[in-house]
Amino acid sequence: MSDPIAMSIDPNVDPYGSLGIIRNTDGSITRPQIPRPFSITIPENDSSVFMKDLVINPAKDMWARIIIPREVLDSEIKLPLVVYFHGGGFVMAANVDTPILQKFYATVAVEIPAIIVSVDYRYAPENRLPAAYDDCVESLHWIKNTSDELLKKYGDFSKCFLLGTSSGGNIAYHVGLRVAEVSECLKPLEIKGLILHHAFFGGKERTKSELRLVRDKILHLNVCNIMWELGLPIGSDRDHPYCNPVVEIRSNENTRLEDSGDWLR
């Protein structure tokens, strides 16, 4: 029997081109080089925040951008920490320095107010999941042990939240599960909550939003398929717990889950 979803996918859409990457004949991909000049791109006329870049792990090319409201500088105020994981479907050439994120950082930092620590991590398929989870857990230990005076002086380590957009929301969820098991090892850093912003999850069974937006011009379903194909461990399907955590939750007889499928739809 033919798959009605597959029949609905526009064959003229190049999912790799939509992601700004090129698939090579050997299965690898080529993406534009991401410059790491460690220069700060602050939105024009935005003097509301101070930004600073720091290296987390040079061997993995991991770094972070710290964003703090200027009004708290030279004060005794301590602010909550919001550790941010950006999106990009685990594969796109997005990073901490992506221009569209700069205004987002400033708005979140000033409106809460809070210190934002935006973390860069490795990309798939060169580094498939759980590499991004590993990197972002490492970033929390880096924050815990930081020698950076800005974080130590103004950051309230007892109030830390993980925020992620799209695939970053997926990362925040899985990182949250990991660190919940070793919370004592992170102290004085204490994770108080997760903020999943349009989190990227899925499954073999299509969600309502996928069915509704199968030919969406912004994020075509075929593009989502490629993101999972490149991001998940080789040989995995979309019911892998990294993509569909409900499968794992349902398999745990000691876990009660009400309306478990609705939050993914």
Side-chain angles (χ1 to χ4, degrees):
M1 183 178 294
S2 58
D3 181 356
I5 300 297
M7 293 177 64
S8 300
I9 293 177
D10 187 348
N12 296 315
V13 172
D14 173 15
Y16 294 93
S18 298
L19 292 170
I21 59 180
I22 300 170
R23 183 175 185 175
N24 303 316
T25 56
D26 62 358
S28 64
I29 66 168
T30 299
R31 59 168 60 86
Q33 290 295 316
I34 306 175
R36 300 294 170 86
F38 276 65
S39 61
I40 307 298
T41 307
I42 300 177
E44 186 177 359
N45 301 322
D46 190 344
S47 59
S48 63
V49 294
F50 173 80
M51 299 189 184
K52 178 181 182 180
D53 291 345
L54 294 169
V55 174
I56 296 176
N57 186 334
K60 296 181 180 178
D61 198 19
M62 285 176 59
W63 59 291
R65 174 159 296 171
I66 299 172
I67 304 95
I68 183 170
R70 283 188 181 275
E71 66 180 8
V72 307
L73 298 178
D74 299 322
S75 75
E76 299 301 317
I77 297 174
K78 281 188 173 287
L79 298 178
L81 296 178
V82 176
V83 182
Y84 180 68
F85 309 127
H86 63 76
F90 308 109
V91 301
M92 288 178 65
N95 70 359
V96 167
D97 201 40
T98 299
I100 196 173
L101 293 178
Q102 308 314 305
K103 184 62 178 176
F104 176 75
Y105 298 151
T107 300
V108 173
V110 172
E111 292 294 326
I112 292 180
I115 296 176
I116 312 301
V117 182
S118 183
V119 175
D120 212 18
Y121 51 86
R122 291 172 295 169
Y123 306 110
E126 299 92 339
N127 301 281
R128 292 175 178 267
L129 294 173
Y133 306 153
D134 296 339
D135 291 352
C136 292
V137 169
E138 180 179 346
S139 75
L140 298 180
H141 287 277
W142 171 81
I143 293 171
K144 166 198 168 181
N145 297 314
T146 186
S147 60
D148 181 70
E149 291 299 324
L150 191 69
L151 282 177
K152 290 169 64 176
K153 182 176 181 179
Y154 298 110
D156 184 349
F157 282 33
S158 70
K159 297 177 182 176
C160 180
F161 298 83
L162 307 184
L163 165 63
T165 300
S166 188
S167 57
N170 177 296
I171 292 170
Y173 171 80
H174 286 285
V175 169
L177 289 182
R178 285 194 184 187
V179 300
E181 299 176 351
V182 293
S183 58
E184 290 297 317
C185 297
L186 278 176
K187 287 187 175 182
L189 191 68
E190 297 185 29
I191 309 302
K192 293 297 187 182
L194 310 180
I195 307 168
L196 310 185
H197 181 219
H198 304 300
F200 187 40
F201 294 103
K204 291 172 67 175
E205 179 185 350
R206 297 298 185 178
T207 66
K208 292 179 181 179
S209 61
E210 285 177 322
L211 294 174
R212 185 174 67 253
L213 302 172
V214 64
R215 302 187 74 161
D216 183 67
K217 295 185 181 300
I218 303 299
L219 186 59
H220 197 280
L221 182 59
N222 205 20
V223 176
C224 290
N225 292 344
I226 292 299
M227 288 176 174
W228 289 122
E229 179 183 319
L230 296 176
L232 290 171
I234 293 174
S236 302
D237 61 30
R238 291 193 306 275
D239 274 345
H240 190 287
Y242 295 161
C243 176
N244 187 0
V246 170
V247 170
E248 188 172 50
I249 294 171
R250 285 174 174 161
S251 68
N252 186 344
E253 296 179 354
N254 296 320
T255 300
R256 295 185 61 187
L257 184 66
E258 297 180 1
D259 300 323
S260 59
D262 292 345
W263 69 282
L264 285 179
R265 289 162 168 77

